[in-house]
Amino acid sequence: MDEERIILVSEKVGNRIQVPGDLRIPLYLEKDLQECTRKLVQTRGEKNLYLVYFLPLDELPQISSFVNRFKPAEIACTSVVFSEGPLPPLESPLLEVISDLRSTNVSELEMQFLLNKSFAELEKRSKNALRKERHLTGHIDSYHDLQALIDIGKSLTLEKDTDTLLRQILHLSKKITGADAGSIFITEHNAQGNKLLRFRYSHTFSKDLSYEEFIIPFDDSSIAGYVAVSGKVLNIADVYAMDPGAPVSFNRSFDEIHNYRTKSMLVVPMLNHLDQVIGVIQLINCKEAGRNRTGNESFEVLLKDREDFELKVTPFDIRYESLLQAVAGQAAIALENNRMIRQIEHQFDEFVKSSVTAIESQDPATSGHSFRVAAMCVNMARLLNIQEKGPLAEIQFTGTQIKELEMAALLHDFGKVYINPDIFLKGKKLFPHDYAFLKLRLNFLYRTLQLQYAQVHQEQARETKLSALKEIMLLVDELNKPSVLDIDRNELIGQILDQSKALQAEDLEGNQIPLLVPEEIENFRIPRGTLNKEERLIIEGHVEHTYAFVSRIPWPTEYQQIPEIARKHHEMLNGSGYPEKLKGKDQLPVQARIMAIADIFDALAAADRPYKKALELKRCIDILRNEVTQGRLDGELVELFIREEAYLGKNSPGGA
Ligand SMILES: [Fe+2]
Ligand SMILES: [Fe+2]
């Protein structure tokens, strides 16, 4: 920085000095030295001022305190003081701005000497101050850099989204080094297993440029490729002035297209824990040139024109090489962590899906049910996120909560694995083997009666009894059907049992052959569906089996709710559900209310239940609304489900 030397003489001592005739330094003879100094300071511009005062001792304190307001590197002053009387006690800092004390007049020769001495002193003092300041600035910069490194470590560890992570890595790298632009490349493998570099993220402070991802070869045909292959750091002062024999060359097409001038470049590899290059950070145009700026401050200097590129861009300081390597190391760890987390999540996802597929394949009755319910739940969560009006607008799901709901839905019926699949497959009121046994017994009775009456030659009685038994066989067949027909089951059973006396016969052990045994009667009395009370309880037990199984999985904290959500999928708002008969929205989280709707809808709409065919969509919707009327399902959620066709998920019935 330029300096300007000035001599200021108080009018009170103007007659005490003899000014050299060849003096080239401006000299001001002033009554008010402070005012004169103020004006000089105002007009100094970027220059440093070296001021030498000639003044009486009593004017010194005022001048000294005024000048002390400025940094010593900007304004340095000293003085030749005149005093005749007894000296008052002089202390620092006043003493420090006195270069000489005179009680007699100053000759031309002495004046010459005093000026030389004073300005030499000021120069030394100013340079020392400047050095100190630079040292301090360097310290502050290093402190900021270290602080930034710690912050990078913290924030990179916390960030789970890779895109945000890349943006952060580049932003912080540029900020630390004062770079104007930068890009991040990530190592990938193509289908043949060959490495390549994907240009993932880029930002130029001085230009508002959009960027598109592209791929470059993993070889030394580019600067980033060279760094990736060699694992070396490249610090280039000016890419346009590179040695033609250098192992890499710079491609100027970006500069030409965007009217930019890439000059200095710092490129470092990102190495993982196995020392493999997982990416490259490339920084462009350090902006610390010619000023006392730290990287952190110069980050926001704009490069507008050619002159700016020439004057403000400087090579990257050598210390940034190791600093950026440290950042790249942190970044690599964070990226690897994210990759591994995603891999584990993916593996777990696949494991859950494969397990659910395996379980559902045992039971064609519910094949695909869990996937469809999961898809509908995810649809609902996404739909809720975009509701702007009404009570549902308050419900919001984060990405993690949607994943949690999806997992809970995939696993909600997992407990069925512990239940005898025959119960799920029970298509009629009696199990096939029980029905076959009943028919066999009635056939045995038929043959026995036929034989008995043939022996005693009672043809007419025989025909009456045998045709009654045939009628019973038809009734039994009717009773066994699962259809919700308008038949009075008790009356039919009564009709059969009324024949017991008339159709008496003994088996080989002398026991009466019954027309119906109590278990058969109980099953024939089932009013809807095919399951008796005991079987229904066993099936309902799947919820607790699911809960016990899913609870054993060591879920990460953000998925802690999965077991509880899965456990509540058969709870109903009015308390008529199971297993805990929970009641009201306070007891039933929105996830469980959503899952209950999806679960019922799929049971109705799926074509694969043993005891019923798939219902028409309109009928399914009517039934859902009826469930709302009865207070079992959440009306607002059901209406959203119907209005937005949440059932048309990728995997849901009727969907694509
Ligand atoms: Fe279930
Ligand atoms: Fe289910």
Side-chain angles (χ1 to χ4, degrees), residues 502-548:
L503 301 174
Q504 273 189 15
E506 287 179 358
D507 62 14
L508 298 177
E509 289 161 344
N511 298 318
Q512 285 292 324
I513 302 169
L515 290 174
L516 293 174
V517 297
E519 292 78 30
E520 290 158 355
I521 294 169
E522 189 200 338
N523 280 297
F524 285 151
R525 277 190 179 141
I526 298 168
R528 291 171 60 200
T530 60
L531 302 178
N532 62 35
K533 204 174 169 190
E534 190 189 344
E535 289 156 353
R536 193 161 289 283
L537 283 175
I538 291 174
I539 286 214
E540 288 181 1
H542 80 278
V543 179
E544 292 295 11
H545 290 307
T546 295
Y547 180 71

Side-chain angles (χ1 to χ4, degrees), residues 600-619:
I600 292 178
F601 179 86
D602 191 67
L604 296 168
D608 43 22
R609 295 271 158 154
Y611 46 83
K612 62 164 258 314
K613 289 183 179 149
L615 295 183
E616 293 281 316
L617 178 62
K618 190 183 169 307
R619 181 87 182 99

